[in-house]
Amino acid sequence: MPKVRKILINIVAAIFILCIPLLLLTSDIRWIANDMNFHRYGFNKYDVSQKTGISRQELGDISEGMVKYLNGEAKDSSMNIFTDNEVRHLDDVRNLIRLCYIIQWAALGYILIFSITGFIYRRTQFFHSLDMLVAAGSILSILVIATLALAAFIDFNRLFIIFHKLFFTNNLWISSGYLPHIYTEGFFSDAGTVIAITMILESLFSALIAGFCVVRRRRMMHQ
């Protein structure tokens, strides 16, 4: 019985560690996907208005309408610029965004329940274990994002294609309409870069805080 209990505790702890990169990644994706300033930055950087003939004001309206649509609201007239296949692809993207939100809330819920339950059963003794797990989750986050960043650096286009083949069951993302000209490959490359840098900074911060707490607690125990 003690062996089974130890295995269960290890599984529960491993899930907690996994939830940290999941929470950070989904939270950063949610932020960048809904940040209209980043959308406008991408439009300006890649001269979308000049290349498509769509005014900056219209591009802003299109991106706002699309973001609302991806967040579950009804399609508005700004999206009429997209073909039927592009709208069907955006439906797939909306489902993926919804899944991202579900994972985000599930990871956050698990982290909170785990932390509260651990404190109830072990009180202040639990903090040492919690700090160790947070540090482990933060290090895992850095390793995951570093691996993806390396793959993107080697061949972002191939990684971009693999992502679409992995998460979409059709080829609707291959389009010659306005969608790939408004949201260019460069836009997604920049989004990935921002997410990677943000996630690494967040992971480093949480790892340093957790590590500091572990070292400080050990020094207090040996005094």
Side-chain angles (χ1 to χ4, degrees):
M1 194 67 177
K3 186 177 181 180
V4 173
R5 182 173 179 271
K6 186 176 181 180
I7 292 173
L8 290 175
I9 290 174
N10 288 336
I11 292 174
V12 170
I15 295 174
F16 176 90
I17 292 172
L18 181 62
C19 280
I20 291 178
L22 286 176
L23 177 61
L24 293 178
L25 180 60
T26 53
S27 297
D28 291 338
I29 290 174
R30 184 171 190 166
W31 159 59
I32 208 71
N34 290 282
D35 187 352
M36 296 309 304
N37 289 326
F38 183 80
H39 288 242
R40 285 189 283 269
Y41 164 80
F43 298 154
N44 292 332
K45 180 178 179 180
Y46 295 102
D47 297 320
V48 174
S49 181
Q50 183 178 353
K51 292 177 180 177
T52 61
I54 305 172
S55 70
R56 291 185 178 183
Q57 178 62 47
E58 289 176 308
L59 285 173
D61 293 339
I62 290 169
S63 61
E64 285 185 18
M66 192 173 71
V67 167
K68 290 178 181 178
Y69 181 72
L70 295 179
N71 280 288
E73 296 187 22
K75 183 178 71 172
D76 62 24
S77 58
S78 67
M79 291 183 61
N80 292 338
I81 193 172
F82 300 126
T83 65
D84 290 341
N85 281 346
E86 286 177 329
V87 173
R88 287 171 60 195
H89 174 59
L90 290 175
D91 285 338
D92 293 336
V93 175
R94 180 160 67 170
N95 291 331
L96 194 59
I97 290 290
R98 186 180 294 117
L99 177 62
C100 177
Y101 292 173
I102 291 172
I103 294 174
Q104 180 194 32
W105 285 111
L108 178 60
Y110 188 92
I111 288 172
L112 290 175
I113 292 172
F114 178 91
S115 301
I116 293 171
T117 303
F119 177 74
I120 290 173
Y121 279 96
R122 297 187 60 196
R123 297 297 178 180
T124 56
Q125 293 180 351
F126 175 70
F127 290 137
H128 180 74
S129 298
L130 182 63
D131 289 333
M132 294 290 288
L133 292 174
V134 169
S138 300
I139 293 171
L140 176 62
S141 300
I142 294 172
L143 292 175
V144 169
I145 205 66
T147 301
L148 291 175
L150 179 61
F153 177 77
I154 294 173
D155 191 345
F156 177 80
N157 184 60
R158 181 169 178 77
L159 184 64
F160 190 72
I161 293 172
I162 291 174
F163 169 82
H164 282 80
K165 288 186 175 181
L166 183 62
F167 288 101
F168 300 107
T169 57
N170 52 57
N171 291 324
L172 295 175
W173 58 276
I174 302 175
S175 171
S176 58
Y178 276 109
L179 189 59
H181 297 288
I182 294 176
Y183 288 98
T184 63
E185 187 175 305
F187 175 90
F188 289 106
S189 177
D190 290 345
T193 300
V194 173
I195 290 171
I197 292 173
T198 303
M199 189 172 171
I200 287 176
L201 291 175
E202 292 167 341
S203 300
L204 285 173
F205 178 77
S206 59
L208 287 172
I209 294 297
F212 172 78
C213 292
V214 170
V215 172
R216 184 170 179 270
R217 193 171 293 109
R218 284 179 176 176
R219 285 179 177 178
M220 292 177 62
M221 290 174 59
H222 288 87
Q223 284 180 353

